[in-house]
Amino acid sequence: MNAETVIDVRGLTKRFGDKTVVDDFDMTVPKGAIYGFLGPNGSGKTTTIRMMCGLLRPSGGEGTCLGYDIVRDADLIKANVGYMTQKFSLYGDLTVRENLDFMARMHAVPDRRGAVAATLEEHKLAPRAEQIAGTLSGGWKQRLALAASSLHKPPLMLLDEPTAGVDPKARRDFWDRIRILADGGVTVLVSTHYMDEAVQCDSIAFISFGKKLIDAPTADIAAQVGLHTRRIEGRDLRPIHAQLKDAPGVDQIARFGSALHVSGRDAAKLDAALAPLRARPDLEIGPAKTGLEEAFIYLMTGSEDNYQ
Amino acid sequence: MTAERRRFGPRFSVARFGAIAMKEFVQMRRDRLTFAMMVGIPIMQLILFGYAINTDPRHLPTLVELGDTGPASRAIVQAMETSRYFDIEGVVFGAADINTALKTGEAMFVVTIPANFERDLARGERPQILLDVDATDPVAASAAASSFPRIVESAVAPLLDGALSDLAQGPPPVEVVLHRRYNASGRSALNIVPGLLGTILTLTMVLMTAIALTREAERGTLESLLATPAQPLEVMAGKISPFVLVGVLQTAIMLGLARTLFGVPFLGAPPAFLALITMFVVVNLSIGFLFSTLAKSQMQAMQMTFFFFLPSILLSGFMFPFRGMPGWAQNLGEALPLTHFVRGVRAVMLKGAGLGDTWAQIWPLAIILAVVATLALSRYRRTLD
Ligand SMILES: Nc1ncnc2c1ncn2[C@@H]1O[C@H](COP(=O)(O)OP(=O)(O)OP(=O)(O)O)[C@@H](O)[C@H]1O
Ligand SMILES: [Mg+2]
């Protein structure tokens, strides 16, 4: 194992009853990386993260986090990982400060009071320190949860949809902080449904049906998905959208402001579908870069059963 | 590996235990309804039972055997009448008559004033006066019986003037002998309060911890808790300890009420009582925690609590005399903490037993605690599956 590898799991599998929720999942995350974890609802992201931090026993496979075995050394992983749960899981009947204080004690944080005060400041929670956590708004609960999971300065953070329901300004602050942490050597695995967050990750793993479909540096994702995209600009694009929707060779159409992005896996077929339009003088058609969003929506369209 | 181990601390971390205990304490304090219940249940139960105990224990049929007559005997009989506890319905002669009267229920009490009573009293020889009690209905008989010594004493006090007045200090001038019939163990209202204390503690203590883990699971907070390096023993001890305080508070309330409302004496040594009560409370809290590791929901945890509560009441000797139960029921009863507590606390509260005497009850409780804690810790799930 490379000394710089922080997460290294192989063949990770989780079954609930006869349902296989995570299937033969491999992942290698180097130190200091911001790794995005994407996939449709119910694809197994939360389940995978829970197995990584010792909260669920894998039905199969093995792996290490920070060099500790995810089954045998669960206690050591728990002590050194900051896990932020998708659903708010702090104590709703304790105040913000009491929750942080509890976590600080559980992790034996040195200079507990100072650390709690600093965290309150850093996450702009200080004015709400004495508020009962259960009465915080959704976004503020998320901030508290993030604060609680980073309080003990863990070298690895597993963040399960940390910014769900958080306003854009706070999300930007959040990602700035993630960047700073990563520059300082902290490794971050973060699940998200936001594309603007996905592009900020160094690498992305995409999971569907518990199976990993893509795992690549963010810049290479589009190429790996293998989509070709053409951009159509023009006045009235609505009829064209309708016309192209079911055309052979067109796998996906997305609106981008006043333009349409038409994508397909087979460049030749895609261009054939667009050929009749090229003659029209009111339309401008040219090649375009396939975006992350198009790539992922394409991947998700192919796995709609995840929503069942 | 040892260096790595140190990074998450020892097997049992006092800091983590303290963190959990403190968190539980704050949560308990904020949960007004539960807290009110913890304090309200003992008060309500005690008053309800207390009034059941006291359903008019007055005007109870009483006979007198007069082995002597004189001013003192007359004063005593007179005082008994005026106390309204006793209705003097006639006289009897001899042990055979007394037996029949009590057996047939013709009388509930027979007072025997022995021969030479007046003379011995005048000489300051502390003559005996005997009260035979039909204790089959201890609830009815006890208040009257326990008031008897006081009645006798205040009846003879005015007669002890002049040369005898120095008798008024020192021990009582008459020695009252209570002789309970048909229920020699003397279960009485006095005995019900200690039993009731144990019963209420059983119910509330087990219930409080039975929902400890299921509530965390239902609120979703278990995921955060399990994501910390908390060890099972830390969680168990941390969740139990704040409720030990509640148990002690409940006990104080109950004893205070029992004393002021029903005059239940507290003879025992406080250390013995404290040891017994703490042990008992901890055992019950552990049983609740065990249920918590078994139950899938708070509802199930409550059902388990009541399943446990029922045999505790029936087989512990609280409801029915322990020695009167069939062997198998006695064996089962020995496994219940309430059995040992009722025994111990009666001895402490009513017979003045000391710390050494309660050892006989402490060690069975310790064994139950060890078994329950081992089970609970082995059942404790450290993952979410
Ligand atoms: N304890 C469980 N018992 C049975 N099935 C479960 C359990 N936990 C999760 N699942 C199932 O596993 C699948 C994956 O769930 P998971 O929460 O890992 O998905 P996810 O990718 O995190 O989804 P989302 O984006 O909605 O958060 C779902 O179908 C879910 O119903
Ligand atoms: Mg999820």
Side-chain angles (χ1 to χ4, degrees):
Chain A
M1 191 191 80
N2 187 332
E4 294 290 292
T5 303
V6 170
I7 299 178
D8 183 21
V9 295
R10 286 171 308 279
L12 221 49
T13 300
K14 184 66 188 177
R15 282 182 286 272
F16 290 113
D18 53 3
K19 203 166 78 169
T20 303
V21 165
V22 175
D23 195 0
D24 200 14
F25 182 91
D26 299 336
M27 185 181 248
T28 309
V29 177
K31 182 166 188 285
I34 302 178
Y35 225 92
F37 197 11
L38 277 73
N41 293 133
S43 54
K45 300 182 294 295
T46 300
T47 308
T48 305
I49 293 176
R50 282 174 174 168
M51 284 192 283
M52 287 175 176
C53 62
L55 280 178
L56 282 178
R57 237 162 236 285
S59 317
E62 54 174 3
T64 59
C65 278
L66 298 162
Y68 303 125
D69 186 277
I70 58 169
V71 177
R72 281 200 321 271
D73 301 328
D75 274 328
L76 288 159
I77 291 179
K78 288 171 181 180
N80 290 294
V81 164
Y83 170 45
M84 178 174 164
T85 58
Q86 178 175 0
K87 187 171 163 282
F88 183 71
S89 62
L90 294 172
Y91 295 97
D93 47 0
L94 298 187
T95 65
V96 169
R97 188 191 299 279
E98 285 163 349
N99 268 302
L100 291 176
D101 195 65
F102 174 70
M103 282 303 165
R105 284 172 193 270
M106 292 309 283
H107 287 285
V109 172
D111 179 24
R112 199 184 69 245
R113 277 165 205 283
V116 169
T119 303
L120 284 169
E121 269 325 308
E122 190 191 341
H123 291 81
K124 304 193 171 66
L125 283 161
R128 293 164 199 263
E130 312 311 327
Q131 190 173 340
I132 297 284
T135 66
L136 290 172
S137 73
W140 282 100
K141 278 186 184 143
Q142 293 292 92
R143 294 188 207 196
L144 170 58
L146 180 69
S149 64
S150 55
L151 194 59
H152 56 297
K153 309 226 178 307
L156 170 61
M157 301 203 63
L158 303 174
L159 308 174
D160 198 355
E161 296 193 32
T163 57
V166 170
D167 67 49
K169 166 78 170 62
R171 265 171 59 194
R172 183 167 299 173
D173 294 347
F174 167 82
W175 275 93
D176 288 346
R177 206 171 296 125
I178 295 280
R179 204 19 94 200
I180 294 169
L181 285 174
D183 289 346
V186 173
T187 310
V188 180
L189 176 66
V190 52
S191 81
T192 181
H193 291 295
Y194 296 116
M195 287 309 132
D196 59 331
E197 294 185 352
V199 297
Q200 301 201 45
C201 299
D202 302 324
S203 289
I204 292 174
F206 183 92
I207 184 176
S208 173
F209 271 129
K211 282 198 165 66
K212 196 174 72 177
L213 298 187
I214 301 272
D215 188 349
T218 308
D220 303 347
I221 293 284
Q224 287 228 353
V225 173
L227 274 190
H228 304 273
T229 302
R230 305 290 177 260
R231 180 182 174 89
I232 306 176
E233 275 178 272
R235 263 185 192 292
D236 186 14
L237 294 172
R238 221 155 356 130
I240 293 176
H241 191 297
Q243 183 189 331
L244 287 176
K245 206 166 59 160
D246 298 317
V250 175
D251 290 311
Q252 185 183 311
I253 307 175
R255 260 210 104 98
F256 266 77
S258 65
L260 281 185
H261 282 198
V262 184
S263 314
R265 282 185 77 90
D266 187 326
K269 278 191 186 165
L270 179 66
D271 284 327
L274 295 178
L277 299 174
R278 289 191 192 271
R280 285 173 57 169
D282 58 327
L283 297 179
E284 204 170 303
I285 301 178
K289 217 168 150 293
T290 304
L292 266 187
E293 179 146 12
E294 286 147 317
F296 287 128
I297 290 176
Y298 172 74
L299 287 173
M300 289 187 204
T301 326
S303 54
E304 257 169 42
D305 289 349
N306 273 322
Y307 293 94
Q308 286 171 2
Chain B
M1 202 61 210
T2 41
E4 284 177 341
R5 283 280 166 213
R6 219 166 287 139
R7 285 173 67 181
F8 101 95
R11 256 0 230 171
F12 184 89
S13 145
V14 177
R16 287 194 297 254
F17 153 73
I20 298 171
M22 197 175 319
K23 168 212 115 179
E24 289 290 325
F25 185 77
V26 173
Q27 288 184 305
M28 177 181 80
R29 219 186 49 208
R30 298 237 165 92
D31 188 356
R32 292 268 164 79
L33 188 69
T34 307
F35 197 69
M37 236 171 58
M38 305 292 276
V39 176
I41 286 180
I43 296 179
M44 208 176 68
Q45 291 284 335
L46 191 73
I47 291 178
L48 284 178
F49 263 82
Y51 282 109
I53 291 164
N54 261 354
T55 39
D56 198 21
R58 293 168 193 253
H59 301 292
L60 302 170
T62 306
L63 296 174
V64 190
E65 185 184 35
L66 289 170
D68 197 3
T69 49
S73 324
R74 273 197 301 279
I76 289 171
V77 172
Q78 185 69 47
M80 286 174 70
E81 282 274 13
T82 32
S83 77
R84 295 189 293 127
Y85 278 121
F86 306 95
D87 273 358
I88 309 290
E89 299 191 333
V91 291
V92 280
F93 304 97
D97 277 3
I98 294 177
N99 282 342
T100 330
L102 288 172
K103 205 169 214 162
T104 57
E106 183 191 345
M108 212 161 147
F109 300 97
V110 177
V111 185
T112 303
I113 296 173
N116 303 326
F117 179 77
E118 303 280 342
R119 189 199 67 197
D120 292 348
L121 180 68
R123 288 181 183 169
E125 285 179 355
R126 303 195 62 228
Q128 288 192 336
I129 181 164
L130 178 68
L131 183 70
D132 281 288
V133 183
D134 171 4
T136 42
D137 186 357
V139 168
S142 78
S146 58
S147 72
F148 185 66
R150 210 166 7 93
I151 294 171
V152 172
E153 203 178 323
S154 54
V156 298
L159 306 173
L160 303 176
D161 47 18
L164 292 175
S165 63
D166 54 326
L167 271 179
Q169 281 85 42
V174 179
E175 187 190 343
V176 173
V177 178
L178 283 187
H179 187 190
R180 291 176 204 277
R181 304 280 189 103
Y182 313 123
N183 191 353
S185 74
R187 292 183 71 247
S188 69
L190 304 186
N191 276 340
I192 283 177
V193 169
L196 195 60
L197 174 66
T199 313
I200 288 171
L201 283 176
T202 301
L203 182 62
T204 52
M205 294 294 103
V206 174
L207 194 59
M208 279 306 113
T209 39
I211 58 174
L213 289 174
T214 42
R215 191 179 53 192
E216 296 240 15
E218 280 176 28
R219 290 185 182 174
T221 53
L222 191 61
E223 191 170 2
S224 271
L225 183 64
L226 291 182
T228 70
Q231 299 299 300
L233 185 59
E234 293 158 6
V235 176
M236 177 168 164
K239 282 187 169 286
I240 281 179
S241 49
F243 291 103
V244 176
L245 290 181
V246 175
V248 171
L249 179 68
Q250 284 189 330
T251 306
I253 293 174
M254 297 253 320
L255 290 186
L257 270 184
R259 200 188 176 103
T260 49
L261 290 185
F262 309 115
V264 174
F266 187 94
L267 301 175
F273 187 75
L274 211 62
L276 196 60
I277 205 100
T278 311
M279 193 69 193
F280 178 65
V281 164
V282 170
V283 172
N284 278 313
L285 289 169
S286 309
I287 290 173
F289 190 81
L290 172 62
F291 290 166
S292 190
T293 62
L294 300 171
K296 295 259 182 296
S297 65
Q298 292 193 58
M299 193 63 203
Q300 267 189 14
M302 285 187 210
Q303 287 167 340
M304 286 184 192
T305 304
F306 284 102
F307 269 119
F308 171 73
F309 185 56
L310 217 61
S312 285
I313 306 187
L314 296 177
L315 302 181
S316 62
F318 167 61
M319 280 283 199
F320 310 114
F322 195 77
R323 300 287 160 226
M325 301 193 307
W328 63 266
Q330 288 196 23
N331 289 339
L332 211 60
E334 295 286 354
L336 296 168
L338 186 58
T339 307
H340 303 282
F341 178 75
V342 165
R343 255 181 231 160
V345 86
R346 279 179 182 167
V348 171
M349 281 181 71
L350 307 171
K351 297 180 198 155
L355 193 54
D357 304 316
T358 52
W359 176 242
Q361 278 78 44
I362 302 261
W363 72 258
L365 287 173
I367 290 179
I368 298 175
L369 175 64
V371 172
V372 168
T374 310
L375 278 176
L377 292 177
S378 69
R379 282 287 319 179
Y380 180 82
R381 284 185 301 270
R382 309 196 57 187
T383 58
L384 290 167
D385 341 55

